[in-house]
Amino acid sequence: MTKKSSCYLDAMAMLEAADEIHSPQVCEQALQHMAQDITRDLGETYPLVLAVMGGAVVFTGKLLPLLKFPLDFDYIHITRYGDRLQGGEFEWLREPYEVAGRDVLVLDDILDEGHTMKAIVAEIMARGANSCHSAVFANKLLPKNKAITADYVGLDVPNRFVFGFGMDAKKLWRNLDGIYAMSEPD
Ligand SMILES: O=P(O)(O)OC[C@H]1O[C@H](OP(=O)(O)OP(=O)(O)O)[C@H](O)[C@@H]1O
Ligand SMILES: Nc1nc2[nH]cnc2c(=O)[nH]1
């Protein structure tokens, strides 16, 4: 048997110490509800769906097959966390292209303070989109107002650093099919 790397062992220890917040089954049900709501509202608008990389990758991959109407798909990339636990300055790694005149739906993994989604919506509308809706799989419950609220929310999560379902913990565990919260320091 090969010797397990320290990265592997650290990742396993992080997961073992974490708390499960939403099971894979609950996540799947939430996806179904979101797909119904989005279909009801945007199903006849031929929207441009923009996934925010990289956190939205799991949400997007699971949601798109549930949207049974014509749409265009592209991705954007903006980050303000990098591999840090606290938000910092925005960095556009791929800007929104060809949004003028379109009804746009932005998909992201989590709405925390809302600064990222606010900046995205502002940029898309400034580029002449007809409308811009936002869908986040996880909405963090905060004891203060957010910069923006999302039009579609999958699940609420507690005010802790969460990971899984596309969200990373120190670059790890985006591949989990449920949502977990990191253990808090004693
Ligand atoms: O509501 P906010 O407080 O602005 O935080 C939410 C943003 O933070 C994460 O992005 P991150 O910069 O970590 O990039 P990632 O998608 O690559 O994980 C997440 O994907 C959201 O885009
Ligand atoms: N992975 C992850 N990214 C975030 N971005 C903002 N809040 C969070 C969080 O709780 N988890």
Side-chain angles (χ1 to χ4, degrees):
M1 206 170 88
T2 54
K3 189 168 174 295
K4 295 188 171 74
S5 70
S6 64
C7 291
Y8 176 95
L9 294 172
D10 288 350
M12 295 307 290
M14 190 193 294
L15 183 57
E16 273 162 32
D19 299 312
E20 186 184 79
I21 303 296
H22 292 299
S23 67
Q25 293 77 11
V26 167
C27 291
E28 292 298 327
Q29 282 166 6
L31 277 168
Q32 296 282 347
H33 287 134
M34 293 189 91
Q36 284 166 10
D37 291 347
I38 291 168
T39 301
R40 178 195 63 215
D41 297 345
L42 304 178
E44 295 178 2
T45 65
Y46 179 41
L48 169 61
V49 178
L50 295 179
V52 185
M53 290 294 121
V57 67
V58 172
F59 175 37
T60 304
K62 286 177 168 280
L63 181 74
L64 284 189
L66 302 177
L67 302 181
K68 303 190 187 302
F69 55 80
L71 55 81
D72 283 335
F73 175 75
D74 201 352
Y75 71 95
I76 55 178
H77 199 174
I78 185 173
T79 182
R80 93 179 180 101
Y81 284 81
D83 58 1
R84 301 178 301 273
L85 300 186
Q86 299 292 321
E89 294 297 309
F90 285 115
E91 191 183 354
W92 276 104
L93 303 176
R94 181 179 159 95
E95 298 171 8
Y97 298 114
E98 298 179 356
V99 297
R102 299 299 305 267
D103 292 301
V104 178
L105 174 65
V106 179
L107 306 181
D108 205 356
D109 53 353
I110 184 164
L111 191 83
D112 190 326
E113 295 176 338
H115 298 299
T116 305
M117 189 59 83
K118 184 177 180 187
I120 291 169
V121 172
E123 184 67 28
I124 288 169
M125 292 309 291
R127 290 176 182 229
N130 185 49
S131 68
C132 184
H133 289 81
S134 57
V136 295
F137 192 66
N139 173 56
K140 191 176 288 192
L141 297 172
L142 298 182
K144 60 179 183 180
N145 289 338
K146 294 174 186 264
I148 194 172
T149 54
D151 298 300
Y152 306 96
V153 169
L155 294 164
D156 288 331
V157 296
N159 188 12
R160 295 172 60 183
F161 197 85
V162 294
F163 63 97
F165 217 86
M167 295 174 279
D168 73 305
K170 301 181 182 170
K171 297 188 177 165
L172 294 162
W173 290 130
R174 287 192 198 269
N175 51 313
L176 297 172
D177 55 1
I179 297 181
Y180 295 78
M182 271 175 104
S183 66
E184 306 202 314
D186 298 325

